[in-house]
Structure formats: C-alpha cells, structure tokens
C-alpha cells in the first residue's frame, strides 16, 4: 500500500488528506456524472485510522489528518471526507478496535481506565463507540486517571503476575471471597480455562 511505501522512506512527519470533492472542478464533474465513486464515510475513517496507527507505530508523526476547517472548503464541498473532527474520529476508531480485540467473544459489564483528558477522543462525539459496544452486548464504563495512577496500577498487577514465575505453591481460589468486588482483569477472564493472556491499553508511548 501507499502507507507502507512511505514508511520505507522513513520521513519524520506525514500529512494524511482524505479526498474532498469541490464543485466547479474536474473531479467534481466526474463525481456528478457518476464516473468517480467514493467509499462511504465510515470506510474512509477505517482506512485513515489504519494509516494513522501504522505511521505512529513506526515513529512517524502525523501532523495533519483531514483538511483544515475553512469556510471555502465547507461552502464548496459536494462530496468526500471533510469533517472538523476527522482525526478524532480516526483515533476513536483505533480505540474501539483495541477494546473489541481485547474483549473478543466477551459479553457483559466492564470498567476501563483511560488517561485524563482523552474521554472525548476515546468515546467519540454523540457516544458512537458506546452505542457500538452496546450492540455487541458490551456495557463499558470509562474512568479517567492520570498517567501516574495508571502506571502504579499496572506495576501492582505486574508484581502479582511475576509471582507466577516462582516455584512456590500458589493458593489458587477459583471463586471470589464473599463480598469482595471483582477487579477488571478478574471479570475479563472469568470462566476462561488455560493460559492467562494479559494486555494493557495505552497510547503509543506509555508513561
């Protein structure tokens, strides 16, 4: 794909501009005549989200995603992928994909902690992600915590997991004690026999 070819060049920064069809242009004429076809909007978000993730994973900064909001574009656009929060939509899609991968084949209620100040980006305007989760029988509550708080909790969980490396016998309790509230990880892996798989959701550079 084009994104993979760009990654091979190893640029420091990239800009991603999904197409916007303007009136009184050759592309506008082709679109209005039916000779130029577009993806639907959700597909465009998916494609751009994948590109955003690929670039950032490879350490390439995406300094622009989507055309800058302007009166000229908004008044002359006849089709295409123009939205003042297009990048936020892509970031929201990435977050949703992470959640669905982590909770694959899971149903029920879950609580997920995310960095402070990122709730709008993760949930998406009009709570589209929440509605998507509910359609898949996932009822998720989100709690914002500082990077330091999340780091401490991950460290605590990691220390508990490291105990599994020791040769000492472990008193394994298959059922929680009376009155004790299940943790997120316990809920997530309830009734799952076999190997314990652990994953953490965070931005590309965790604190």
């Amino acid at each position: 794909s084009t994104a993979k070819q760009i990654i091979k060049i190893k640029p420091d920064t990239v800009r991603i501009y999904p197409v916007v069809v303007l009136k009184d242009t050759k592309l506008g004429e082709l679109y209005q005549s039916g000779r130029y076809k577009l993806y639907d909007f959700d597909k465009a978000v998916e494609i751009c989200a994948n590109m955003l993730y690929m670039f950032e994973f490879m350490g390439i900064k995406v300094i622009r995603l989507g055309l800058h909001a302007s009166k000229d574009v908004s008044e002359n656009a006849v089709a295409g992928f123009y939205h003042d929060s297009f990048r936020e939509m892509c970031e929201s899609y990435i977050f949703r994909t992470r959640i669905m991968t982590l909770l694959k084949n899971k149903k029920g209620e879950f609580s997920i902690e995310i960095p402070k100040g990122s709730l709008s980006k993760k949930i998406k305007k009009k709570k589209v992600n929440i509605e998507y989760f509910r359609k898949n029988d996932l009822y998720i509550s989100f709690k914002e915590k500082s990077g330091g708080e999340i780091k401490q909790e991950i460290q605590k969980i990691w220390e508990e997991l490291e105990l599994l490396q020791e040769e000492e016998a472990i008193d394994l309790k298959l059922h929680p004690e009376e009155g004790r509230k299940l943790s997120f990880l316990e809920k997530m892996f309830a009734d799952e026999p076999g190997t314990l798989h652990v994953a953490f959701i965070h931005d590309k550079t965790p604190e």
Side-chain angles (χ1 to χ4, degrees), residues 31-167:
Y31 173 76
Q32 291 175 336
S33 68
R35 287 180 289 170
Y36 178 70
K37 305 290 185 181
L38 290 165
Y39 290 115
D40 62 42
F41 202 94
D42 287 343
K43 183 64 177 179
V45 169
E46 177 186 344
I47 292 171
C48 291
N50 285 323
M51 293 175 67
L52 173 63
Y53 185 82
M54 288 171 63
F55 288 136
E56 293 194 334
F57 183 81
M58 297 304 295
I60 301 170
K61 187 175 181 180
V62 180
I63 60 176
R64 169 63 64 182
L65 176 47
L67 284 176
H68 182 73
S70 72
K71 184 178 179 180
D72 183 58
V73 174
S74 61
E75 289 181 350
N76 291 284
V78 294
F81 315 111
Y82 177 69
H83 195 285
D84 57 0
S85 299
F86 193 83
R87 183 183 185 122
E88 202 167 278
M89 290 179 173
C90 294
E91 291 171 337
S92 178
Y93 176 87
I94 293 170
F95 177 73
R96 185 180 79 197
T97 302
R98 286 178 175 177
I99 295 292
M100 294 304 295
T101 300
L102 181 63
L103 300 181
K104 186 177 180 181
N105 299 323
K106 300 286 182 182
K107 307 291 182 184
E109 297 181 2
F110 299 93
S111 176
I112 296 180
E113 295 170 359
I114 60 177
K116 281 185 177 178
S118 63
L119 188 60
S120 174
K121 183 186 300 183
K122 306 301 186 188
I123 303 304
K124 192 175 176 182
K125 289 183 176 181
K126 298 183 180 178
K127 298 184 178 181
V128 173
N129 274 352
I130 293 293
E131 294 172 6
Y132 182 90
F133 293 140
R134 287 175 178 170
K135 286 179 181 178
N136 287 275
D137 296 322
L138 291 170
Y139 300 90
I140 303 174
S141 62
F142 295 92
K143 299 178 181 178
E144 290 189 297
K145 289 197 172 183
S146 68
E149 290 174 321
I150 293 176
K151 184 178 179 181
Q152 287 179 357
E153 295 195 5
I154 289 176
Q155 181 62 35
K156 189 185 299 182
I157 294 170
W158 188 253
E159 289 171 357
E160 293 175 358
L161 292 174
E162 284 184 326
L163 291 174
L164 299 176
Q165 304 295 325
E166 300 179 5
E167 296 182 358

